[in-house]
């Protein structure tokens, strides 16, 4: 892979999730939570009378609350639950700042990583993940995101970085299955743990296990429920 043209100096270009997703979730999650709480309170008496329904004690408690305060209270709890989900979404959102000097990946308020601009040869979006590639084919960063390809492409091109429509190394990845002999027992154990974390939706743990695999010498690509791997290219400082 040839190196990119020299990065263009100037103010950092920032790419974030679409406005409809940011504002829609901020309004929609509390509203949906409140509506579900309200419906739960209205249906509690009926559900409590069904002998096969689970959580009978909960529905009996809700149906025994004085009205209309009981319904309003349960709806309020639904709003709080929606706000809780919203805070989790905000903490997991990726913000990408691109400048000639560096690319900054900020997830939530505290999780920040930077990649020197001199190391980035190209960038692309691969199955919902922003991928930075260096000239040797290594990946200085791979981060899941809901930022659109158009927003990312604009930010990177604004500073002279190449934007690719597909991963030139996609054909080098191999499907991982348990006990794959080529990766060895350590990487296989990490891939097992990562598959479990992905299944449970534990995104932070999934990212940490990817970093551990990178340190072990392997790159990981996710496609639907499957994990694909390839060996990291050796670099002079490795």
């Amino acid at each position: 892979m040839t190196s990119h043209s020299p990065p263009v100096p100037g103010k950092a270009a920032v790419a974030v999730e679409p406005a409809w997703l940011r504002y829609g979730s901020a309004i929609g999650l509390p509203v949906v939570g409140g509506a579900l709480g309200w419906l739960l309170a209205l249906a509690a008496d009926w559900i409590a009378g069904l002998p096969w329904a689970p959580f009978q004690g909960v529905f009996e408690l809700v149906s025994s609350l004085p009205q209309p305060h009981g319904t309003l209270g349960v709806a309020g709890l639904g709003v709080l639950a929606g706000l809780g989900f919203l805070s989790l979404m905000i903490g997991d959102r990726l913000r990408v700042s691109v400048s000639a000097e560096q690319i900054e990946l900020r997830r939530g308020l505290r999780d920040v990583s930077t990649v020197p601009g001199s190391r980035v040869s190209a960038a692309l979006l691969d199955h919902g993940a922003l991928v930075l590639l260096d000239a040797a084919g290594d990946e200085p960063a791979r981060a899941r995101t809901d930022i659109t390809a158009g927003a990312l492409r604009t930010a990177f091109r604004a500073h002279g970085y190449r934007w690719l429509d597909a991963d030139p190394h996609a054909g080098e990845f191999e499907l991982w299955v348990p006990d794959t002999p080529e990766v060895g027992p350590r990487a296989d154990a990490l891939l097992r743990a990562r598959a479990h974390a992905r299944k449970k939706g534990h995104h932070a743990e999934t990212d940490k296990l990817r970093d551990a695999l990178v340190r072990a010498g392997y790159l990981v690509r996710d496609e639907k429920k499957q994990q694909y791997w390839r060996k990291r290219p050796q670099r002079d400082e490795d």
Side-chain angles (χ1 to χ4, degrees):
M1 183 185 297
T2 58
S3 60
H4 61 77
S5 58
V8 178
K11 183 179 179 181
V14 178
V16 295
E17 291 179 356
W20 67 264
L21 180 58
R22 288 181 282 123
Y23 297 122
S25 60
I27 297 171
L29 286 175
V31 170
V32 169
L36 290 176
W38 180 70
L39 291 174
L40 171 64
L42 291 181
D45 188 56
W46 173 69
I47 297 175
L50 300 176
W52 49 265
F55 308 111
Q56 285 286 326
V58 174
F59 291 109
E60 289 174 358
L61 175 62
V62 172
S63 65
S64 68
L65 295 173
Q67 297 302 325
H69 303 89
T71 298
L72 293 175
V74 175
L77 290 176
V79 172
L80 291 176
L83 290 171
F85 281 112
L86 176 61
S87 67
L88 292 176
M89 286 188 64
I90 292 174
D92 195 54
R93 282 176 176 160
L94 186 71
R95 181 179 185 272
V96 181
S97 299
V98 183
S99 69
E101 294 75 26
Q102 66 180 26
I103 291 88
E104 179 187 89
L105 308 176
R106 179 183 296 271
R107 194 174 297 282
L109 298 176
R110 291 186 248 180
D111 187 5
V112 182
S113 61
T114 58
V115 178
S118 59
R119 192 182 168 193
V120 178
S121 176
L124 65 131
L125 191 64
D126 180 45
H127 289 85
L130 170 64
V131 182
L132 305 182
L133 292 172
D134 69 10
D138 196 5
E139 295 181 1
R142 177 181 282 262
R144 54 193 167 73
T145 183
D146 288 321
I147 303 174
T148 64
L152 290 167
R153 178 173 57 247
T154 298
F156 279 91
R157 285 183 173 175
H159 288 278
Y161 297 99
R162 287 198 305 150
W163 179 263
L164 305 177
D165 294 325
D167 186 353
H169 301 282
E172 301 171 22
F173 284 90
E174 301 285 344
L175 175 64
W176 174 79
V177 294
D179 300 316
T180 298
E182 291 86 354
V183 301
R186 180 188 174 194
D188 189 71
L190 290 170
L191 285 162
R192 284 176 184 269
R194 191 172 183 275
H196 181 73
R198 289 188 70 218
K199 184 177 180 181
K200 295 295 184 180
H202 298 162
H203 298 309
E205 183 179 355
T206 298
D207 293 343
K208 289 179 181 178
L209 287 165
R210 179 201 175 270
D211 293 340
L213 281 159
V214 169
R215 291 192 295 271
Y218 296 90
L219 301 175
V220 185
R221 175 177 182 261
D222 297 323
E223 186 174 345
K224 296 181 180 179
K225 296 182 179 180
Q226 302 294 335
Q227 297 182 107
Y228 294 78
W229 64 274
R230 69 179 174 97
K231 290 186 176 180
R232 285 185 68 196
Q234 291 296 314
R235 301 169 59 241
D236 292 340
E237 57 265 42
D238 287 346

